[in-house]
Amino acid sequence: MTERDTHRVIPLVDARAGLPIPGFESIGKPGLKSAGQVLDQRARPLRDLRISVTDRCNFRCSYCMPKEIYTKDYPHYLPHASLLSFEEITRVAQQFLGLGVQKIRLTGGEPLLRKNLEQLIEQLSGLRTLEGKTPDLTLTTNGSLLARKARALKDAGLQRVTISLDGLDDAVFRRMNDVDFPVADVLRGIEAAQAAGLGPIKVNMVVKRGTNEDQILPMARYFRGSGIALRLIEYMDVGATNGWRMDEVLPSAEVIARLQQELPLIPLEASQEGETAQRWGYANAQGKHDVQQGEIGVISSVTQAFCKDCNRARLSTEGQLYLCLFAEQGYDLRGLIRGQGSDEQLRQAIASIWQARQDNYSEQRGRMPAQAGSTGRRIEMSYIGG
Ligand code: SAM
Ligand code: SF4
Ligand code: SF4
């Protein structure tokens, strides 16, 4: 048994161990919720589904897949047969939409490495929300393959992309991705996404104190007025392999203070419930938001918990459902998908799991002494996606 297996999900069909589905015995019987918006124990609706389509990546960002651990011979990559097929993903996504999900984000690993991803996008874009609308369909990518693929993704029905980019300086960027990938190729990918109409585009930058903090201002200057919203993300203690340390976190408040010295900003209202980023608009000479200049966002997952509105569920590449980025275990939906379960039973299972959800890790972390949060058993970001 591998180390990962010891804390991986126990199949749903074996409800004696691992994370059993709440109300598992009643699945298939009348009485369990199987349609309409579900709420969890903290009255948070299920709205956002993130689907990881691969656990592989062509980058080795040290905060996510450190090179020393994710070597060519890394033993825990999933074998192909473990992956949910496009048909399985589409089927399960459809059940999530029947329980209130509005937005589907494809992620990974690097999602553009999954072969024929356009086919999956086409299938997903044919699905409908409870209100009969096309779900908001988006994807997070490191941008390395975007120049080649942007047009095909758009044609398949993808609406938007979020691109991760940790700096503009080529040397800093190559060091951050740790595979010597040039920044110019990602910038070309961003342009291709813009040209294909995959917007509004967001660019995510993880800020590590002492590593790329000098890139904050150049990145803000570069994207200001471009129609692209830059979002600065606090380096998080996800997973167990990145050697996270609090002193490498640059709090968002400090990021904003540094930006304000050169680029005046004013706070903006959240555009939707459950939004992870706090939005700031570039101000004009009158101190009002200059819409032409656009906005930036900060995601303060470490210093300012936003669990209160967290409406996100995460489906791993092999069909495990995680209720929190910091979860140690998930629920095996693949067991149900590949078993005899009907669509209604699948919805009942998902609804029961969500209705029992209590997760609020970031809020709890705020009450813990520094470093106390890590148990060393958490699931990796490359496995469940961001
Ligand atoms: N490979 C794709 C990419 O990089 O955009 C998608 C998957 S990646 C896991 C999703 C997002 O998680 C990226 O924006 C990445 O920067 C972010 N991320 C990964 N590890 C992180 C960490 N330790 N702290 C904060 N953000 C992290
Ligand atoms: Fe790959 Fe994205 Fe993780 Fe970087 S953050 S290693 S690009 S999965
Ligand atoms: Fe959601 Fe968990 Fe993050 Fe809180 S810590 S916002 S519950 S994913």
Side-chain angles (χ1 to χ4, degrees), residues 36 45 69 80 96 99 113 115 185 187 231 252-253 288 336:
I69 292 168
H80 192 74
F96 274 94
L99 294 168
L113 289 181
K115 236 170 124 196
D185 288 8
L187 296 177
R231 304 190 316 165
S252 293
K288 298 262 186 304
L336 258 194

Side-chain angles (χ1 to χ4, degrees), residues 68-85:
E68 312 70 53
I69 292 168
Y70 292 88
T71 58
K72 179 164 64 56
D73 306 317
Y74 178 68
H76 307 308
Y77 286 127
L78 298 170
H80 192 74
S82 297
L83 272 51
L84 290 188
S85 68

Side-chain angles (χ1 to χ4, degrees), residues 7-34:
H7 60 85
R8 207 181 283 154
V9 177
I10 309 300
L12 171 68
V13 283
D14 179 3
R16 292 163 299 180
L19 285 181
I21 305 267
F24 181 74
E25 330 66 53
S26 309
I27 284 177
K29 298 185 189 141
L32 280 189
K33 187 171 173 77
S34 66

Side-chain angles (χ1 to χ4, degrees), residues 245-302:
R245 293 191 348 224
M246 186 67 201
D247 59 9
E248 288 182 313
V249 177
L250 188 69
S252 293
E254 208 174 317
V255 169
I256 293 293
R258 289 188 192 186
L259 286 167
Q260 292 273 30
Q261 288 176 4
E262 180 184 317
L263 306 165
L265 293 164
I266 54 163
L268 303 177
E269 294 287 315
S271 59
Q272 54 182 296
E273 199 193 325
E275 188 164 65
T276 47
Q278 292 160 287
R279 300 168 59 216
W280 292 77
Y282 290 107
N284 60 20
Q286 290 72 43
K288 298 262 186 304
H289 180 206
D290 180 344
V291 180
Q292 296 301 318
Q293 297 289 302
E295 62 180 76
I296 62 155
V298 285
I299 302 185
S300 322
S301 343
V302 178

Side-chain angles (χ1 to χ4, degrees), residues 30-321:
L32 280 189
K33 187 171 173 77
S34 66
Q37 181 70 64
V38 278
L39 299 179
D40 73 4
Q41 289 290 306
R42 298 176 192 270
R44 297 171 295 191
L46 172 58
R47 287 274 163 73
D48 183 333
L49 176 64
R50 301 187 173 201
I51 304 173
S52 172
V53 292
T54 177
D55 60 341
R56 315 288 167 109
C57 189
N58 53 344
F59 282 13
R60 286 291 176 274
C61 310
S62 60
Y63 52 71
C64 179
M65 295 182 79
K67 207 175 190 166
E68 312 70 53
I69 292 168
Y70 292 88
T71 58
K72 179 164 64 56
D73 306 317
Y74 178 68
H76 307 308
Y77 286 127
L78 298 170
H80 192 74
S82 297
L83 272 51
L84 290 188
S85 68
F86 291 168
E87 284 64 35
E88 288 171 333
I89 293 176
T90 306
R91 180 176 167 216
V92 77
Q94 187 172 20
Q95 312 321 315
F96 274 94
L97 291 168
L99 294 168
V101 161
Q102 309 272 337
K103 176 166 149 192
I104 297 176
R105 176 179 295 280
L106 300 180
T107 177
E110 175 44 45
L112 298 186
L113 289 181
R114 179 84 185 246
K115 236 170 124 196
N116 303 323
L117 189 72
E118 297 81 0
Q119 275 173 21
L120 174 65
I121 291 170
E122 234 175 275
Q123 288 171 227
L124 293 174
S125 65
L127 300 178
R128 293 294 172 262
T129 65
L130 275 177
E131 296 78 28
K133 295 193 188 129
T134 310
D136 184 9
L137 192 52
T138 177
L139 174 147
T140 304
T141 172
N142 62 25
S144 58
L145 301 170
L146 204 50
R148 247 181 288 159
K149 299 200 170 195
R151 172 52 59 191
L153 293 168
K154 176 71 183 178
D155 290 346
L158 190 70
Q159 294 159 12
R160 305 186 285 118
V161 284
T162 297
I163 298 134
S164 305
L165 177 63
D166 296 331
L168 279 182
D169 180 273
D170 195 49
V172 172
F173 183 65
R174 285 177 194 253
R175 230 183 359 261
M176 294 286 288
N177 64 55
D178 219 6
V179 292
D180 214 25
F181 196 87
V183 72
D185 288 8
V186 177
L187 296 177
R188 261 196 294 280
I190 296 175
E191 281 164 24
Q194 254 186 324
L198 284 169
I201 296 176
K202 291 176 186 156
V203 166
N204 278 353
M205 171 180 177
V206 175
V207 181
K208 261 182 110 173
R209 196 197 283 275
T211 305
N212 64 339
E213 59 186 304
D214 63 340
Q215 296 299 298
I216 297 171
L217 266 165
M219 287 280 283
R221 286 187 210 116
Y222 185 85
F223 289 109
R224 187 173 49 135
S226 68
I228 293 175
L230 172 66
R231 304 190 316 165
L232 300 129
I233 305 179
E234 286 178 354
Y235 169 39
M236 282 189 284
D237 49 335
V238 279
T241 57
N242 63 10
W244 181 87
R245 293 191 348 224
M246 186 67 201
D247 59 9
E248 288 182 313
V249 177
L250 188 69
S252 293
E254 208 174 317
V255 169
I256 293 293
R258 289 188 192 186
L259 286 167
Q260 292 273 30
Q261 288 176 4
E262 180 184 317
L263 306 165
L265 293 164
I266 54 163
L268 303 177
E269 294 287 315
S271 59
Q272 54 182 296
E273 199 193 325
E275 188 164 65
T276 47
Q278 292 160 287
R279 300 168 59 216
W280 292 77
Y282 290 107
N284 60 20
Q286 290 72 43
K288 298 262 186 304
H289 180 206
D290 180 344
V291 180
Q292 296 301 318
Q293 297 289 302
E295 62 180 76
I296 62 155
V298 285
I299 302 185
S300 322
S301 343
V302 178
T303 60
Q304 225 182 320
F306 42 77
C307 303
K308 163 171 92 47
D309 296 321
C310 180
N311 52 23
R312 296 178 289 284
R314 294 178 160 86
L315 187 66
S316 81
T317 316
E318 54 177 343
Q320 318 296 337
L321 173 60

